[in-house]
Amino acid sequence: MNPINILIEKIEDENLWQKVIHLERNDYLKVKGSIDTNIYLVVQGSLRIFVIDEYEEHTIRFGYKNNLIASLDSFLNEQPSDFYIQALKKTIVKSISKKEFKTFIESSEAHKSIWLNILESFVLQQMERERDILTSSPIERYHRVLDRSPQLFQEIPNKYIASYLRMTPETLSRIKKS
């Protein structure tokens, strides 16, 4: 079992989720400039994390059923973030506050180890993504993401996948057809 699933199971077993939030399509879970120190479990639906520069939106990550999602910068430093988290369809999430989560993580060496494993995995994924964006062709980026996360292409609309892959929706469509 992967570490995220183990962590989710342990939080479930201890009944630590504090809130259930229902979002309609396009609702925001978090907006730029806000502080959000919660971690969310996606129970149903899908979300995206993105930033906006002066010209366009840039999708950074996705979350769908049984994924944890957070504005990690705001969660860690308790400062306002430039990130948005938006529901892509009707979505239900459960939340746990940083305080409650930290108490849970610090309650055992096993919990600390699982959390560290998750963070290390996240850093490695982020590094791989950055390398792909800087050095890989659009076709290579598409195939890497398809191999790594085939569920993404069933859960997420193409325009957001294209943004995530740093290409136009038209380019993504051409690549998918070839």
Side-chain angles (χ1 to χ4, degrees), residues 42-175:
V42 183
V43 176
Q44 171 188 316
S46 58
L47 301 128
R48 70 180 179 127
I49 299 178
F50 68 100
V51 294
I52 301 175
D53 66 18
E54 52 188 273
Y55 304 107
E56 63 185 312
E57 296 177 354
H58 300 281
T59 300
I60 308 298
R61 283 190 91 68
F62 297 104
Y64 33 82
K65 189 175 180 175
N66 296 324
N67 285 169
L68 293 177
I69 195 164
S71 178
L72 198 54
D73 61 337
S74 192
F75 176 81
L76 294 172
N77 67 23
E78 300 182 17
Q79 298 295 313
S81 171
D82 289 337
F83 293 112
Y84 294 83
I85 303 177
Q86 182 184 36
L88 298 176
K89 57 174 104 170
K90 275 190 169 187
T91 300
I92 300 171
V93 296
K94 294 179 183 178
S95 70
I96 184 171
S97 69
K98 180 177 182 174
K99 181 181 178 192
E100 189 74 27
F101 185 76
K102 200 171 178 183
T103 300
F104 166 74
I105 291 300
E106 292 173 353
S107 69
S108 85
E109 286 303 315
H111 296 166
K112 285 180 193 175
S113 179
I114 293 167
W115 181 235
L116 182 59
N117 193 326
I118 291 168
L119 290 176
E120 287 172 350
S121 175
F122 178 75
V123 169
L124 292 172
Q125 289 171 20
Q126 202 58 33
M127 290 172 69
E128 180 181 341
R129 175 169 158 62
E130 289 172 15
R131 186 184 63 244
D132 277 354
I133 288 169
L134 294 172
T135 64
S136 300
S137 71
I139 292 170
E140 290 169 325
R141 289 194 304 268
Y142 167 77
H143 285 292
R144 253 206 247 294
V145 169
L146 181 60
D147 290 344
R148 191 174 53 229
S149 304
Q151 183 182 359
L152 181 75
F153 292 87
Q154 286 135 26
E155 298 282 334
I156 307 297
N158 281 341
K159 72 178 185 175
Y160 301 119
I161 295 172
S163 170
Y164 178 75
L165 293 171
R166 297 295 188 266
M167 62 180 70
T168 65
E170 295 78 18
T171 299
L172 176 60
S173 181
R174 279 193 304 275
I175 290 170

